[in-house]
Amino acid sequence: MAKKAQYRRYTRSTAGNIAYFSLLFLAGAFTILPLIYCVITSFKPLDELLIFPPRFFVRRPTLSNYLELPSLLGKIQVPVSRYFFNSIFIAIAGTGLHIIAASLAAFAFSKSRMKSWSILFLIIQIMLLYNSVTLSVPQYLIFTKLRMVDTYWVYILPAIPSAVGCFLMKQFIDVSVPDALLEAARIDGAGVLRMYYKIVMPILKPAWMTIMLLSFQTMWTVIPSGTIFSEQLKTLPQVMSSISAGGIARSGSAMAITVIMMIPPILVFMVTQSNVMETMSTSGIK
Amino acid sequence: MSNSTLTKKKKNISLSEKSAFMLITFPFASLFFVFNILPVLASIVLSFFDYDMVSNPIFIGVENYARMFAADDTFLKVLGNTLKFSIVAGPGGFILAFVLAWMINEFSKPVRVVLTFIFYAPALVGNAYFIWTVLFSGDSLGYLNNLLISFGFISEPINWFQNTSYNMTILIIIQLWMSMGVTFLSNIAGLQNVSDEMYEAGAIDGIKTRWHELWYITLPSMKSILLFGAVMQIQSVFSVSGLMQTLVGYPSVNNSVDTLVSYISDIGTARYEMGYASALSVILFLLVLAFRFGIGAFLNLIGKSDS
């Protein structure tokens, strides 16, 4: 990453400074306070949920909102653990397969020097505009024809060829993998797969860590439209809304499940955060 | 960055390597074709047919398109909603994502990482928009209602999400809350990569204020990153549907906040009018494309003098 100069280029008036820090403070409060409030509320007992004016902090924290979740979310045939398993399985499988398929393709797009590939890459750039939500109805037709409705495939398969992951990795390889390095590997007799495994993937680590974050986040909250009917195949986001229908008395549990849903993406962000900036700096569309 | 001059000097890669490259592209390319290209092509073709997924498709020409604009008030309503939502939340979120990235750019790295997390958190945690139901709950226990009643501004609780004069505004605010996503991250990275030489050269050339610096140096050197951010922003605002479906429900009162995407999936996956749903998808594709090229043209104006 480029080093920043340590000098301040332009100074600001006192009024400017006040405006600057108040704006930053307000924006920060707007984004983070609802989340902090959510975490705090998830530990409130029922009587504290119902008092008004609501207190920001909790007096007597309790875990009961969390302990109620299995009975609130679970069904007779489907325990809540099943929804958890589905969510995690889908997010990991979709993200993993996407990274492998997209990095292989990105390597070829960047380094195979084939004219026809640049047309395909142009199409990928256009498809950046569309995600599986905007494509859901035409995809529904395809799923029906492939007889995949009501299987795990409807979650995982469309996530694998996501345009944004391939695009980001191709841009990153363009900048970070020198042709000379591949040339040296060729002289050593390395094939394409060996180059991919030994050279490209290690250099590409910041990019695939970033894709891991973006893809996991998408997969973790995905709600397929009209393609999942079995209760056993549903994921947490699909059953969460049943709690929020319970109004303010259930808000403790609604917040508890929201907090649980927040944890995995935050963990992934913590692991990947330092790589994200490096990757994003090569993301430009020329 | 083009390295075509380098490429020409080197000998072409061998045929076996070429086929190996094709082979490793296959998994991505084939799935990309099936789940991205084919859906677009299929919806273009099917948009000229009447198709209910049971009987054979019947060719009906442009009837689906005619129906949209001449005989479907709901479509016109949801199209208006989508445009209203996208035109406010799209550029709004985009500008916010740039301004905040620009503001935190002058801090040292550890502070910047913490601030990045604070702004990025709502987008990161996905469907946490749930939280807002407590504030905007429609009964008198909802925080906003309770507050307004106790101060005597209103006498009856307002059902915020169902009230057609407020619900769109509330949803736009919640969308803006979540809009510090990929666009924001790429802006931060892009700002970090504008070289100091550029700034120094600018100072020598007579740039006096940070606003001039922003307009003549920072923004032009980030043009490609901004375009990427704009594309991501368009993609996210036009696909918003879960937000409304969860907080308001589908269909909403008078279709007041239903989006084109929700409407398309209702027509398609609930009513099985695939021909009509396809025609609606085509309109959505065209709308998104138009915005993409509109923004591209707009970004080209950056760094130009007013003359």
Side-chain angles (χ1 to χ4, degrees):
Chain A
M1 206 179 284
K3 269 193 234 88
K4 286 285 346 152
Q6 295 308 309
Y7 66 95
R8 277 205 153 188
R9 288 188 303 277
Y10 300 105
T11 48
R12 232 189 325 250
S13 63
T14 317
N17 259 325
I18 293 171
Y20 174 83
F21 283 102
S22 351
L23 192 63
L24 209 57
F25 179 79
L26 281 178
F30 175 60
T31 52
I32 203 73
L33 280 184
L35 295 174
I36 293 175
Y37 185 71
C38 171
V39 175
I40 292 173
T41 306
S42 72
F43 293 106
K44 283 183 182 169
L46 187 62
D47 57 323
E48 283 191 49
L49 289 171
L50 295 174
I51 48 169
F52 195 84
R55 276 195 216 99
F56 190 83
F57 293 105
V58 53
R59 290 263 167 94
R60 290 172 294 110
T62 166
L63 282 177
S64 65
N65 293 320
Y66 288 89
L67 300 175
E68 269 176 14
L69 286 179
S71 63
L72 283 174
L73 287 173
K75 305 274 184 319
I76 297 162
Q77 323 89 324
V78 186
V80 70
S81 54
R82 180 72 195 224
Y83 300 123
F84 269 98
F85 169 79
N86 287 344
S87 284
I88 295 205
F89 169 72
I90 285 158
I92 291 177
T95 303
L97 291 171
H98 167 56
I99 290 175
I100 295 169
S103 59
L104 282 167
F107 176 35
F109 284 136
S110 178
K111 298 296 177 193
S112 71
R113 296 179 211 159
M114 283 186 266
K115 281 267 161 56
S116 49
W117 258 210
S118 55
I119 298 165
L120 189 51
F121 190 66
L122 200 69
I123 297 173
I124 288 177
Q125 283 195 32
I126 291 176
M127 290 309 290
L128 282 175
L129 288 163
Y130 304 102
N131 57 28
S132 57
V133 182
T134 31
L135 293 172
S136 65
V137 164
Q139 279 183 353
Y140 172 81
L141 276 170
I142 312 269
F143 285 127
T144 315
K145 289 284 171 227
L146 295 173
R147 299 188 186 286
M148 282 178 185
V149 172
D150 217 18
T151 63
Y152 281 125
W153 294 119
V154 296
Y155 295 102
I156 295 169
L157 282 183
I160 298 174
S162 156
V164 63
C166 184
F167 174 79
L168 287 176
M169 288 200 266
K170 193 261 182 188
Q171 301 298 79
F172 194 86
I173 298 175
D174 278 354
V175 176
S176 319
V177 180
D179 285 345
L181 203 58
L182 297 178
E183 206 51 58
R186 276 192 195 103
I187 291 164
D188 288 347
V192 167
L193 268 183
R194 209 179 147 77
M195 286 193 265
Y196 166 77
Y197 185 72
K198 289 277 181 199
I199 299 172
V200 177
M201 271 321 247
I203 298 179
L204 200 56
K205 188 179 161 213
W208 56 257
M209 294 283 266
T210 305
I211 312 300
M212 196 163 105
L213 173 68
L214 300 181
S215 173
F216 184 88
Q217 221 183 318
T218 316
M219 294 300 286
W220 185 243
T221 52
V222 71
I223 299 180
S225 94
T227 42
I228 291 291
F229 302 104
S230 310
E231 208 55 48
Q232 293 95 314
L233 294 176
K234 285 189 178 163
T235 53
L236 283 174
Q238 288 162 283
V239 293
M240 271 172 82
S241 48
S242 64
I243 294 188
S244 71
I248 219 88
R250 282 279 167 78
S251 62
S253 298
M255 295 303 139
I257 184 70
T258 309
V259 170
I260 290 174
M261 289 291 290
M262 281 180 200
I263 294 168
I266 290 178
L267 288 179
V268 176
F269 178 70
M270 283 172 156
V271 175
T272 55
Q273 142 330 91
S274 60
N275 298 291
V276 172
M277 293 301 138
E278 202 174 329
T279 312
M280 285 302 180
S281 62
T282 63
S283 68
I285 298 177
K286 299 281 150 55
Chain B
M1 207 175 291
S2 164
N3 48 10
S4 55
T5 42
L6 276 171
T7 314
K8 267 171 209 152
K9 269 185 240 160
K10 280 172 195 153
K11 65 177 183 340
N12 269 337
I13 54 178
S14 67
L15 196 65
S16 67
E17 199 176 308
K18 260 187 186 163
S19 39
F21 268 129
M22 280 195 209
L23 213 62
I24 63 168
T25 320
F26 183 75
F28 185 87
S30 55
L31 288 171
F32 186 77
F33 178 77
V34 173
F35 292 104
N36 288 295
I37 314 250
L38 202 58
V40 176
L41 296 180
S43 46
I44 293 173
V45 173
L46 277 173
S47 71
F48 299 105
F49 285 84
D50 183 12
Y51 181 44
D52 59 5
M53 300 193 71
V54 182
S55 31
N56 283 328
I58 304 159
F59 182 76
I60 53 167
V62 293
E63 211 171 282
N64 285 325
Y65 293 96
R67 173 181 161 193
M68 247 180 254
F69 292 99
D72 188 351
D73 290 342
T74 315
F75 163 71
L76 295 176
K77 180 83 197 175
V78 298
L79 179 68
N81 291 341
T82 307
L83 287 175
K84 205 194 299 176
F85 184 83
S86 309
I87 285 170
V88 182
F94 184 69
I95 292 169
L96 218 54
F98 181 80
V99 170
L100 288 176
W102 185 54
M103 286 178 80
I104 68 174
N105 190 44
E106 59 183 69
F107 289 98
S108 64
K109 196 176 176 208
V111 182
R112 209 169 53 231
V113 168
V114 173
L115 288 173
T116 303
F117 176 76
I118 288 176
F119 292 129
Y120 177 54
L124 171 66
V125 298
N127 43 15
Y129 45 72
F130 243 44
I131 298 166
W132 294 88
T133 54
V134 189
L135 183 60
F136 292 114
S137 183
D139 49 29
S140 55
L141 285 166
Y143 293 163
L144 193 57
N145 274 330
N146 209 321
L147 196 70
L148 292 176
I149 291 173
S150 59
F151 280 108
F153 288 119
I154 53 173
S155 52
E156 288 292 301
I158 296 174
N159 198 345
W160 298 103
F161 288 118
Q162 305 305 328
N163 188 311
T164 52
S165 19
Y166 302 113
N167 53 9
M168 185 55 111
T169 315
I170 292 172
L171 291 168
I172 288 175
I173 292 171
I174 298 176
Q175 175 68 24
L176 288 176
W177 177 67
M178 303 191 296
S179 59
M180 253 39 75
V182 190
T183 310
F184 175 63
L185 295 179
S186 65
N187 282 339
I188 297 173
L191 283 163
Q192 284 294 306
N193 270 39
V194 180
S195 71
D196 288 323
E197 286 78 19
M198 291 283 289
Y199 288 126
E200 280 157 24
I204 292 164
D205 286 349
I207 281 178
K208 290 283 185 297
T209 68
R210 64 176 67 228
W211 304 108
H212 277 151
E213 186 186 80
L214 176 68
W215 184 253
Y216 290 110
I217 296 175
T218 314
L219 286 174
S221 18
M222 288 182 63
K223 219 177 258 184
S224 62
I225 297 259
L226 290 175
L227 185 55
F228 173 75
V231 165
M232 290 294 107
Q233 188 70 16
I234 293 171
Q235 185 233 54
S236 76
V237 289
F238 276 97
S239 63
V240 170
S241 59
L243 177 68
M244 287 82 177
Q245 287 174 11
T246 312
L247 296 181
V248 184
Y250 183 90
S252 53
V253 185
N254 294 331
N255 301 99
S256 50
V257 293
D258 300 338
T259 58
L260 199 46
V261 171
S262 309
Y263 186 57
I264 293 173
S265 51
D266 180 44
I267 297 278
T269 57
R271 295 193 232 165
Y272 299 107
E273 293 183 50
M274 279 303 166
Y276 192 48
S278 299
L280 291 167
S281 302
V282 171
I283 296 295
L284 177 64
F285 297 145
L286 293 177
L287 202 62
V288 172
L289 265 187
F291 270 73
R292 156 72 176 78
F293 288 105
I295 298 238
F298 176 75
L299 288 177
N300 268 330
L301 300 175
I302 284 175
K304 305 252 163 73
S305 309
D306 308 331
S307 59

